[in-house]
Each structure stands twice: as structure tokens, then as C-alpha cells.
């Protein structure tokens, strides 16, 4: 396979996570930013409304106070005809104009502005009449005052309308913010799930690659597409795959050579000893026959040790080669006991069996090796004229196989180590039992390959081994 990194991915896995975090945050940031903008706009609008209301209130008060003073000065002037009163009226007229100019800066509607202009024109006409000495009525000024009060009342209604607009704007802003948050949350969650899928797919590539190596499947190359650091990790895993494939090939070649190089001369030794034992070169005396028997016995033992060593090396990769099929475990146990019948009879050992018919998912050959190694171990350590109890039952959805002998048993401190390769135990080393210490190790490898468990049971005085196997199991990656 070619190693390549898609241009759609960033350069590093960390950067991919940061981009995902940024994209997830964008909808929320947009909603919060829009909310801040609306709040700021509402605050500015409120500030402007308050300022305009304050200006309108002050200008209205000044206009009314000035008009009151002007009306008083006008009425006194009409009675007393003193020029000082007229000057006082003119002065207050200037203040009135200044107040109206300030009031005119407010955002008045066209009708209000037109009425204000009409008031100013009417008051200016009244002033011109006073300056010309024409006859003027006090009631005329009272009409102007009432007209001004109408203009100010209309402006008050404008302020109320502005307050209503502020309230409406605030409600609209709250509604908009609510909908934006309701929309931003699922969008953010959707983006987060999307990036979770992307990141999970990247990690699953690495996980599949590691599981492929763990299953000792070295034929296919490993490719991890994604950011550069993950792609680099994929290249290192593929290098590890190639290296392990080389080591596996070297190991298999070594085992083939060992098997051939050791078995070939060993076969010659056995054949030679057999020919000597049969008297082909000539008759043998009793001492020579004893020596030939020892040679034949030990050559057979050496061949068995070589085969056990090779079997143990192969057992380490049992899980990858298991093809689960329905296996009648009680039938397997019966067949194994039948093959050991003559060996047990030679030492007057009897089998006590209680086999419940059970079907398990597994490899029949490897399960047969497990049962065979347990029975062989029990025969080795059983005393002459002893008994071996073999029981197969179903407990808690598991097939449970118990093999119990009447031997010395396993020391408490050695129960964890008894399944280690080449470990024979203190009691076995002190006795006359010969063995390689690989039988139980091979049994453990095969049991673990079936997702099961093998253990030493502490009950009783003899050796008690228990195997638990699931009735159904799925072969995992």
C-alpha cells in the first residue's frame, strides 16, 4: 500500500483537534457575539432615548416657565405701558427661542415640527405687533401658551412611543437570542459528533493496525491516512509488521531446521537400537538388551521433548489460526481417555468419568490437546492403583472441565507458576516423574485462545485442574 496523507487533513493530529474545537465553538461564538451586538445596540438606543427624554423635559420646562414670564410681562405691559416691561418680554422671548431651538433638535415628527413652527410664527407676529405699537390682546398670548402645551403633550407621546419601541426591540432581541442559541447548540453538537467520527476513524485505523499485528497477520501492509503524525505512526507500524514477519519467518525456519536436524539422527538412533534389539546383527545377552532398551526409551523421550517444544512455539499463535466450529467436548474427552487407557492400565490407574454432553465453539484439535495434556499430567503424578476423576459440567453458561488426580498436588506457592513453560514444580523435581514442563503451558495457550480460563483448584489434597470454556464466542479482531 502507498503511504499518503490527504490534503484535507492538517499536518498534525493536535491541529485537527484544535480545528474541531474551533468549529464547534463558532456557532456559540456567533450567537454570543450577536447577543452582545444586540445588547450594545439596545443600550445605545436606551441611552439615546433617556438623553432625548431629559432634553425634552428640560426644554419643555424652560419653554413653559419662559412663556409664563412672557405672559405676565405682557399683561403688565398692556396695563402699565412701561417700556421696561416690554424689554423684559423681549428678553424672555430670546430665552424662549433658545429653548425652542434646543427642543427642535429632538426627533419630532412632521406634524409636531409643523405645529412648533406655527407657534413660533404666531409668537413672532405678536412681538412684531408690540414693537409696532399695534393693539394686542392678552388672550392672544394665552392661545399661544395653549398651543405650546399641545406641542409638548405631543412630544410626550413621542417619548412614550420611543419607550414602546425600546420594549419591542428588547423583546425581539431576546427572542432572536433564544432562537440563535437553540439553533447554535444542535449545530455545535452536530459539528462535535462529526469531528468525533473523524478523530475516531483515525484512531480506529491505528487500532486495526495494532490488532492486525497482534493476530500475527503480516501479509497485508498497514496504511494510516490522516495527519502527518498519524501517517508517520502508520509507517512505523508497517515497519514493525515487516520486522515481525521477518522474525516469524526466521523462527519458523529455525523450527523446521531443528525438527529436521534433530529428528533425522534421532530416527537413525532409534532404528539402529530397534535393529540391535531384534538381533539382526547377532544374538544379544541380557546386559546388552538392557542397554538397547535404555537407548530406545530415552530416544523416544527425546523425540517427545522435541515435539513438545515445537508444539509450544506454535501454540503462542493459536488464536489467529482458530476457526470456531461446534465441538462435542464430551466426545473429545471420551476419545482422549480411550487413547490413555493402556497407559493407565499398566499402572492400574482407573478413570472415573462424569461427562455431560456439551457443545462448545472452538477448534477440535486444539481442545483435544488441552484434554490430552491434562490427562497425561494426571497420569504422571497419580500413584499406582490410583484414580483420576474427569468431570464435564455446565455452569453459568460455561463448559467446566475438572481433572482431579490423587497425586501430591501443586504447592500453594507454585499454583501461578505451574503454567509457565519448562516449570516442573518442586515436588516433580524431587520425585521420579519426568517431563518437559511444557504440557500445561501449551494447554494454557490453547485455552486462552478459546477465550477460556485454566486454573489450579485449591480443594483437596491431589492435583485438581479446572478449565472453563464459553459455549459460544465470537472471534474478535
Amino acid at each position: 500500500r502507498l503511504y499518503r496523507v490527504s490534503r484535507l487533513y492538517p499536518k498534525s493530529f493536535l491541529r485537527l483537534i484544535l480545528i474541531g474545537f474551533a468549529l464547534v465553538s463558532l456557532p456559540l461564538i456567533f450567537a454570543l457575539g450577536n447577543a452582545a451586538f444586540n445588547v450594545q445596540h439596545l443600550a445605545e438606543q436606551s441611552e439615546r432615548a433617556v438623553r432625548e427624554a431629559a432634553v425634552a423635559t428640560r426644554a419643555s420646562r424652560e419653554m413653559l416657565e419662559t412663556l409664563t414670564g412672557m405672559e405676565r410681562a405682557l399683561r403688565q405691559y398692556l396695563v402699565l405701558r412701561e417700556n421696561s416691561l416690554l424689554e423684559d418680554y423681549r428678553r424672555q422671548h430670546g430665552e424662549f427661542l433658545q429653548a425652542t431651538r434646543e427642543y427642535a433638535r429632538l426627533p419630532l415628527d412632521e406634524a409636531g415640527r409643523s405645529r412648533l413652527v406655527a407657534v413660533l410664527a404666531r409668537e413672532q407676529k405678536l412681538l412684531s405687533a408690540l414693537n409696532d405699537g399695534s393693539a394686542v390682546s392678552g388672550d392672544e398670548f394665552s392661545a399661544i401658551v395653549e398651543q405650546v402645551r399641545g406641542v409638548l403633550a405631543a412630544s410626550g407621546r413621542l417619548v412614550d412611543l420611543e419607550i414602546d419601541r425600546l420594549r419591542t426591540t428588547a423583546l425581539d432581541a431576546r427572542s432572536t437570542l433564544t432562537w440563535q442559541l437553540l439553533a447554535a447548540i444542535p449545530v455545535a453538537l452536530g459539528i462535535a459528533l462529526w469531528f468525533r467520527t473523524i478523530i475516531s476513524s483515525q484512531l480506529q485505523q491505528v487500532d486495526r493496525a495494532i490488532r492486525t499485528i497482534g493476530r500475527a497477520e503480516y501479509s497485508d501492509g498497514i496504511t494510516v491516512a490522516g495527519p502527518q503524525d498519524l501517517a508517520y505512526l502508520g509507517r512505523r507500524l508497517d515497519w514493525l509488521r515487516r520486522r515481525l514477519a521477518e522474525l516469524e519467518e526466521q523462527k519458523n525456519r529455525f523450527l523446521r531446521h531443528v525438527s529436521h536436524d534433530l529428528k533425522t539422527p534421532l530416527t537413525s538412533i532409534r532404528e539402529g537400537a530397534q535393529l540391535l534389539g531384534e538381533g539382526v546383527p547377532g544374538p544379544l545377552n541380557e546386559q546388552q538388551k538392557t542397554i538397547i532398551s535404555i537407548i530406545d526409551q530415552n530416544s523416544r523421550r527425546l523425540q517427545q521433548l522435541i515435539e513438545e517444544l515445537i508444539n509450544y512455539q506454535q501454540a503462542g499463535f493459536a488464536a489467529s489460526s482458530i476457526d470456531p466450529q461446534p465441538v462435542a467436548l464430551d466426545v473429545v474427552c471420551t476419545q482422549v481417555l480411550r487413547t490413555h487407557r493402556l497407559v493407565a492400565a499398566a499402572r492400574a490407574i482407573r478413570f472415573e468419568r462424569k461427562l455431560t454432553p456439551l457443545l462448545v465453539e472452538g477448534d477440535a484439535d486444539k481442545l483435544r490437546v488441552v484434554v490430552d495434556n491434562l490427562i497425561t499430567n494426571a497420569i504422571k503424578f497419580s500413584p499406582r492403583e490410583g484414580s483420576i476423576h474427569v468431570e464435564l459440567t455446565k455452569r453459568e453458561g460455561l463448559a467446566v472441565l475438572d481433572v482431579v488426580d490423587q497425586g501430591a498436588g501443586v504447592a500453594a506457592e507454585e499454583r501461578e507458576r505451574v503454567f509457565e513453560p519448562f516449570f516442573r514444580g518442586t515436588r516433580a523435581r524431587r520425585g521420579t516423574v519426568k517431563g518437559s514442563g511444557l504440557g500445561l503451558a501449551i494447554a494454557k495457550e490453547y485455552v486462552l485462545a478459546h477465550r477460556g480460563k485454566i486454573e489450579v483448584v485449591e480443594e483437596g489434597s491431589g492435583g485438581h485442574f479446572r478449565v472453563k470454556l464459553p459455549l459460544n464466542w465470537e472471534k474478535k479482531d
Side-chain angles (χ1 to χ4, degrees):
R1 296 180 184 180
L2 297 176
Y3 301 109
R4 61 183 183 274
V5 179
S6 175
R7 294 181 180 179
L8 298 177
Y9 290 108
K11 292 185 177 180
S12 68
F13 189 71
L14 177 60
R15 188 173 296 179
L16 177 63
I17 294 176
L18 293 177
I19 291 175
F21 178 78
L23 289 178
V24 169
S25 303
L26 277 179
L28 299 177
I29 293 175
F30 174 78
L32 292 176
N34 191 49
F37 173 78
N38 288 333
V39 170
Q40 179 66 24
H41 176 69
L42 185 61
E44 292 176 354
Q45 191 174 357
S46 301
E47 182 181 359
R48 183 173 63 254
V50 171
R51 184 171 58 252
E52 291 174 354
V55 171
T57 301
R58 184 177 64 255
S60 299
R61 186 180 65 251
E62 291 178 356
M63 288 172 65
L64 291 175
E65 291 177 354
T66 306
L67 286 173
T68 302
M70 291 172 65
E71 183 179 11
R72 183 174 56 251
L74 176 61
R75 290 185 180 277
Q76 290 176 355
Y77 172 75
L78 294 176
V79 175
L80 301 176
R81 295 293 176 174
E82 292 182 1
N83 291 331
S84 60
L85 294 173
L86 182 59
E87 290 298 327
D88 186 33
Y89 178 86
R90 291 170 180 167
R91 178 182 58 78
Q92 294 186 63
H93 169 76
E95 294 177 358
F96 175 74
L97 291 178
Q98 183 178 356
T100 52
R101 282 194 294 270
E102 185 177 358
Y103 186 81
R105 296 193 186 99
L106 297 175
L108 303 175
D109 57 3
E110 291 299 326
R113 194 171 297 278
S114 298
R115 286 195 296 269
L116 182 61
V117 171
V119 168
L120 292 176
R122 189 172 182 179
E123 194 277 333
Q124 184 64 38
K125 182 178 179 181
L126 179 62
L127 179 62
S128 299
L130 287 174
N131 292 332
D132 296 340
S134 303
V136 176
S137 173
D139 294 335
E140 177 69 17
F141 196 86
S142 297
I144 294 175
V145 172
E146 291 302 323
Q147 193 173 1
V148 171
R149 291 183 185 276
V151 172
L152 296 180
S155 66
R157 288 192 294 271
L158 291 176
V159 172
D160 293 336
L161 291 175
E162 184 67 20
I163 293 175
D164 291 337
R165 281 198 297 270
L166 284 176
R167 185 181 299 109
T168 303
T169 302
L171 292 176
D172 292 341
R174 185 178 66 179
S175 177
T176 302
L177 177 60
T178 300
W179 283 109
Q180 286 179 346
L181 288 177
L182 291 177
I185 291 175
V187 170
L189 290 177
I191 296 175
L193 291 176
W194 177 46
F195 259 84
R196 177 186 177 277
T197 302
I198 294 176
I199 294 173
S200 177
S201 65
Q202 305 299 311
L203 297 179
Q204 285 176 0
Q205 292 182 86
V206 178
D207 180 71
R208 284 194 296 268
I210 294 174
R211 289 179 181 272
T212 300
I213 294 176
R215 293 193 303 267
E217 297 176 359
Y218 305 131
S219 57
D220 295 332
I222 295 174
T223 301
V224 177
Q228 291 183 0
D229 47 3
L230 282 183
Y232 174 76
L233 178 60
R235 292 193 292 271
R236 301 307 298 168
L237 288 174
D238 192 70
W239 173 85
L240 178 62
R241 176 194 64 82
R242 296 195 303 271
R243 182 58 180 157
L244 290 175
E246 294 174 0
L247 294 176
E248 177 68 10
E249 179 60 28
Q250 293 175 7
K251 178 184 73 67
N252 292 334
R253 189 183 305 113
F254 171 76
L255 291 176
R256 290 194 298 269
H257 291 172
V258 167
S259 176
H260 180 270
D261 294 344
L262 292 180
K263 285 186 176 181
T264 300
L266 186 59
T267 302
S268 300
I269 293 174
R270 288 187 57 194
E271 291 177 351
Q274 185 176 1
L275 292 175
L276 288 175
E278 292 174 355
V280 174
L284 300 176
N285 56 36
E286 293 299 325
Q287 185 177 6
Q288 291 172 333
K289 290 181 180 180
T290 301
I291 295 174
I292 294 300
S293 176
I294 294 173
I295 294 175
D296 182 68
Q297 181 180 358
N298 283 276
S299 62
R300 291 177 184 274
R301 177 61 185 158
L302 181 58
Q303 182 177 4
Q304 181 182 1
L305 291 175
I306 294 172
E307 291 176 351
E308 287 183 354
L309 178 61
I310 295 174
N311 290 337
Y312 174 72
Q313 294 293 336
Q314 294 175 346
F317 299 94
S320 61
S321 60
I322 285 180
D323 184 16
Q325 299 292 335
V327 178
L329 191 57
D330 57 305
V331 176
V332 172
C333 293
T334 302
Q335 293 173 349
V336 172
L337 291 174
R338 187 180 297 119
T339 60
H340 288 277
R341 182 175 53 191
L342 295 179
V343 177
R347 298 179 55 195
I349 297 175
R350 63 186 184 279
F351 293 121
E352 298 176 356
R353 67 186 74 182
K354 182 182 178 182
L355 304 177
T356 302
L358 286 177
L359 280 178
V360 299
E361 294 266 338
D363 189 304
D365 293 333
K366 291 178 173 60
L367 291 176
R368 186 176 291 107
V369 171
V370 172
V371 179
D372 184 82
N373 287 355
L374 291 178
I375 299 299
T376 301
N377 183 77
I379 293 175
K380 286 180 182 179
F381 290 93
S382 290
R384 187 175 182 80
E385 299 182 355
S387 65
I388 298 176
H389 179 74
V390 181
E391 182 177 0
L392 177 64
T393 57
K394 179 181 178 181
R395 305 176 194 171
E396 300 178 355
L398 298 174
V400 181
L401 174 64
D402 290 282
V403 178
V404 186
D405 61 58
Q406 295 178 335
V410 182
E413 64 275 8
E414 296 177 351
R415 285 170 183 161
E416 294 296 329
R417 299 188 57 197
V418 72
F419 298 104
E420 295 179 1
F422 306 107
F423 182 80
R424 297 179 57 237
T426 305
R427 297 176 183 177
R429 292 194 298 269
R430 291 175 181 175
T432 59
V433 179
K434 303 297 183 181
S436 63
L438 288 174
L440 293 178
I442 294 174
K444 181 180 179 180
E445 292 290 341
Y446 285 154
V447 170
L448 293 178
H450 284 79
R451 308 291 192 267
K453 181 180 180 181
I454 184 171
E455 59 186 353
V456 178
V457 181
E458 300 179 6
E459 302 172 357
S461 58
H464 185 174
F465 290 87
R466 175 172 293 167
V467 175
K468 297 179 181 179
L469 295 171
L471 298 178
N472 297 284
W473 63 278
E474 295 181 358
K475 192 174 182 182
K476 300 179 182 180
D477 293 335

